[in-house]
PDB file of all heavy atoms in Angstrom:
ATOM      1  N   PRO A1522      32.369 112.800  45.265  1.00 98.00           N
ATOM      2  CA  PRO A1522      33.550 113.606  45.621  1.00 98.00           C
ATOM      3  C   PRO A1522      34.624 113.419  44.571  1.00 98.00           C
ATOM      4  O   PRO A1522      35.032 112.357  44.151  1.00 98.00           O
ATOM      5  CB  PRO A1522      34.023 112.944  46.993  1.00 98.00           C
ATOM      6  CG  PRO A1522      32.752 112.341  47.491  1.00 98.00           C
ATOM      7  CD  PRO A1522      31.979 111.851  46.344  1.00 98.00           C
ATOM      8  N   GLY A1523      35.133 114.605  44.134  1.00 98.00           N
ATOM      9  CA  GLY A1523      36.274 114.628  43.156  1.00 98.00           C
ATOM     10  C   GLY A1523      35.804 114.219  41.732  1.00 98.00           C
ATOM     11  O   GLY A1523      36.628 113.943  40.899  1.00 98.00           O
ATOM     12  N   GLU A1524      34.521 114.282  41.475  1.00 98.00           N
ATOM     13  CA  GLU A1524      34.034 113.949  40.123  1.00 98.00           C
ATOM     14  C   GLU A1524      33.303 115.117  39.510  1.00 98.00           C
ATOM     15  O   GLU A1524      32.792 116.028  40.163  1.00 98.00           O
ATOM     16  CB  GLU A1524      33.041 112.815  40.197  1.00 98.00           C
ATOM     17  CG  GLU A1524      33.719 111.455  40.593  1.00 98.00           C
ATOM     18  CD  GLU A1524      32.800 110.277  40.614  1.00 98.00           C
ATOM     19  OE1 GLU A1524      31.535 110.481  40.830  1.00 98.00           O
ATOM     20  OE2 GLU A1524      33.248 109.193  40.418  1.00 98.00           O
ATOM     21  N   VAL A1525      33.234 115.123  38.149  1.00 98.00           N
ATOM     22  CA  VAL A1525      32.666 116.199  37.354  1.00 98.00           C
ATOM     23  C   VAL A1525      31.655 115.609  36.434  1.00 98.00           C
ATOM     24  O   VAL A1525      31.938 114.609  35.731  1.00 98.00           O
ATOM     25  CB  VAL A1525      33.758 116.956  36.542  1.00 98.00           C
ATOM     26  CG1 VAL A1525      33.100 117.999  35.700  1.00 98.00           C
ATOM     27  CG2 VAL A1525      34.732 117.547  37.501  1.00 98.00           C
ATOM     28  N   GLN A1526      30.421 116.203  36.372  1.00 98.00           N
ATOM     29  CA  GLN A1526      29.386 115.749  35.454  1.00 98.00           C
ATOM     30  C   GLN A1526      29.419 116.664  34.246  1.00 98.00           C
ATOM     31  O   GLN A1526      29.359 117.936  34.453  1.00 98.00           O
ATOM     32  CB  GLN A1526      28.043 115.727  36.042  1.00 98.00           C
ATOM     33  CG  GLN A1526      26.960 115.121  35.140  1.00 98.00           C
ATOM     34  CD  GLN A1526      25.574 115.250  35.756  1.00 98.00           C
ATOM     35  OE1 GLN A1526      25.048 116.294  35.954  1.00 98.00           O
ATOM     36  NE2 GLN A1526      24.993 114.110  36.137  1.00 98.00           N
ATOM     37  N   ILE A1527      29.548 116.196  33.007  1.00 98.00           N
ATOM     38  CA  ILE A1527      29.654 117.010  31.810  1.00 98.00           C
ATOM     39  C   ILE A1527      28.439 116.806  30.946  1.00 98.00           C
ATOM     40  O   ILE A1527      28.039 115.653  30.655  1.00 98.00           O
ATOM     41  CB  ILE A1527      30.991 116.629  31.054  1.00 98.00           C
ATOM     42  CG1 ILE A1527      32.194 116.841  31.918  1.00 98.00           C
ATOM     43  CG2 ILE A1527      31.047 117.466  29.778  1.00 98.00           C
ATOM     44  CD1 ILE A1527      33.486 116.241  31.307  1.00 98.00           C
ATOM     45  N   ALA A1528      27.911 117.947  30.455  1.00 98.00           N
ATOM     46  CA  ALA A1528      26.882 117.878  29.405  1.00 98.00           C
ATOM     47  C   ALA A1528      27.649 117.830  28.070  1.00 98.00           C
ATOM     48  O   ALA A1528      28.234 118.794  27.642  1.00 98.00           O
ATOM     49  CB  ALA A1528      25.998 119.111  29.439  1.00 98.00           C
ATOM     50  N   VAL A1529      27.687 116.548  27.515  1.00 98.00           N
ATOM     51  CA  VAL A1529      28.444 116.344  26.346  1.00 98.00           C
ATOM     52  C   VAL A1529      27.809 117.011  25.130  1.00 98.00           C
ATOM     53  O   VAL A1529      26.643 116.796  24.824  1.00 98.00           O
ATOM     54  CB  VAL A1529      28.641 114.856  26.123  1.00 98.00           C
ATOM     55  CG1 VAL A1529      29.505 114.586  24.832  1.00 98.00           C
ATOM     56  CG2 VAL A1529      29.268 114.180  27.285  1.00 98.00           C
ATOM     57  N   ALA A1530      28.582 117.852  24.421  1.00 98.00           N
ATOM     58  CA  ALA A1530      28.067 118.514  23.225  1.00 98.00           C
ATOM     59  C   ALA A1530      28.340 117.662  22.016  1.00 98.00           C
ATOM     60  O   ALA A1530      27.406 117.316  21.221  1.00 98.00           O
ATOM     61  CB  ALA A1530      28.748 119.871  23.040  1.00 98.00           C
ATOM     62  N   TYR A1531      29.626 117.318  21.770  1.00 98.00           N
ATOM     63  CA  TYR A1531      29.969 116.513  20.579  1.00 98.00           C
ATOM     64  C   TYR A1531      30.979 115.387  20.984  1.00 98.00           C
ATOM     65  O   TYR A1531      31.789 115.509  21.910  1.00 98.00           O
ATOM     66  CB  TYR A1531      30.732 117.393  19.569  1.00 98.00           C
ATOM     67  CG  TYR A1531      29.860 118.477  18.997  1.00 98.00           C
ATOM     68  CD1 TYR A1531      29.932 119.812  19.526  1.00 98.00           C
ATOM     69  CD2 TYR A1531      29.000 118.298  17.971  1.00 98.00           C
ATOM     70  CE1 TYR A1531      29.150 120.804  19.029  1.00 98.00           C
ATOM     71  CE2 TYR A1531      28.158 119.284  17.422  1.00 98.00           C
ATOM     72  CZ  TYR A1531      28.264 120.526  17.946  1.00 98.00           C
ATOM     73  OH  TYR A1531      27.463 121.549  17.435  1.00 98.00           O
ATOM     74  N   THR A1532      30.849 114.259  20.303  1.00 98.00           N
ATOM     75  CA  THR A1532      31.709 113.142  20.407  1.00 98.00           C
ATOM     76  C   THR A1532      32.227 112.721  19.016  1.00 98.00           C
ATOM     77  O   THR A1532      31.381 112.550  18.088  1.00 98.00           O
ATOM     78  CB  THR A1532      31.090 111.948  21.126  1.00 98.00           C
ATOM     79  OG1 THR A1532      30.876 112.312  22.453  1.00 98.00           O
ATOM     80  CG2 THR A1532      32.018 110.694  21.033  1.00 98.00           C
ATOM     81  N   GLY A1533      33.517 112.654  18.807  1.00 98.00           N
ATOM     82  CA  GLY A1533      34.038 112.253  17.523  1.00 98.00           C
ATOM     83  C   GLY A1533      34.132 110.702  17.513  1.00 98.00           C
ATOM     84  O   GLY A1533      34.307 109.976  18.522  1.00 98.00           O
TER      85      GLY A1533
END
Side-chain angles (χ1 to χ4, degrees):
E1524 293 182 333
V1525 176
Q1526 185 185 69
I1527 302 170
V1529 179
Y1531 296 98
T1532 291

